[in-house]
Amino acid sequence: MLATVNQVQCPCYLLDVTWNMVAWNTPAEALFSGWLDKDTQPNMMSFMFRHPLAQTLVVDWETRASRIVAELRADAMHYPHDQGLNHLVQSLSNDSELFRTFWSRQQVVVREGGERVFHHPQQGELHFRQMTWQLTSNRAIKMIMLMAE
């Protein structure tokens, strides 16, 4: 899978059912510099709710954070007995009042894509069109590409 991700020229990464980043390419590492290049077991949910970089990098952070919690809930519907996923939700609920609030709303949104805006400390404001694919060979893996607008 990493070979496929590395063939993509724009930021590209794979997320598993618990939103662990299982593979990413060099452009994704550059976009998430300060996190992906330092975290040995990166998790997108953990990044959004525990890493201080998220609130400065992700434009309109609170709206995006609310949406990805709804996307996580959509994933959780398909894996209600997944211990890793249940542990992640419990851990984030314990650590983040905002995550707990978003999770309690019980909103469900399928991860689909759309415009994503980042305020990168070196590159300034970056606009992407997110495209998300579910892998047919492993339904628990999603491939995310951020194509420059």
Side-chain angles (χ1 to χ4, degrees):
M1 287 190 278
L2 183 57
T4 302
V5 170
N6 281 328
Q7 293 299 312
V8 179
Q9 300 301 308
C10 63
C12 180
Y13 52 92
L14 301 178
L15 295 177
D16 70 10
V17 70
T18 57
W19 290 53
N20 289 317
M21 302 270 289
V22 295
W24 58 89
N25 63 6
T26 302
E29 190 167 308
L31 175 61
F32 294 106
S33 178
W35 171 53
L36 273 183
D37 55 340
K38 296 184 183 339
D39 194 335
T40 58
Q41 296 181 324
N43 178 283
M44 185 60 76
M45 284 291 165
S46 186
F47 170 70
M48 285 295 285
F49 288 95
R50 293 178 174 141
H51 200 290
L53 175 64
Q55 291 190 25
T56 58
L57 178 66
V58 178
V59 171
D60 196 13
W61 176 85
E62 192 167 330
T63 300
R64 290 293 313 134
S66 175
R67 175 160 179 109
I68 70 166
V69 171
E71 292 170 1
L72 178 67
R73 189 174 274 288
D75 289 348
M77 290 174 45
H78 299 288
Y79 303 96
H81 304 293
D82 186 285
Q83 290 180 347
L85 184 55
N86 291 330
H87 175 74
L88 174 68
V89 169
Q90 188 60 53
S91 175
L92 287 167
S93 294
N94 291 341
D95 292 351
S96 170
E97 184 177 337
L98 201 51
F99 177 88
R100 192 169 48 253
T101 298
F102 293 155
W103 186 258
S104 70
R105 292 179 184 166
Q106 299 190 11
Q107 293 176 320
V108 176
V109 178
V110 176
R111 188 166 178 91
E112 51 192 25
E115 184 182 30
R116 301 294 179 260
V117 183
F118 298 90
H119 184 75
H120 195 274
Q122 288 81 34
Q123 300 175 40
E125 194 164 287
L126 302 172
H127 292 259
F128 295 100
R129 176 73 39 199
Q130 178 185 306
M131 301 187 73
T132 302
W133 288 276
Q134 193 96 36
L135 299 184
T136 56
S137 60
N138 183 345
R139 302 289 300 162
I141 301 288
K142 294 180 280 295
M143 182 169 83
I144 292 86
M145 289 176 49
L146 298 172
M147 302 176 68
E149 290 252 289

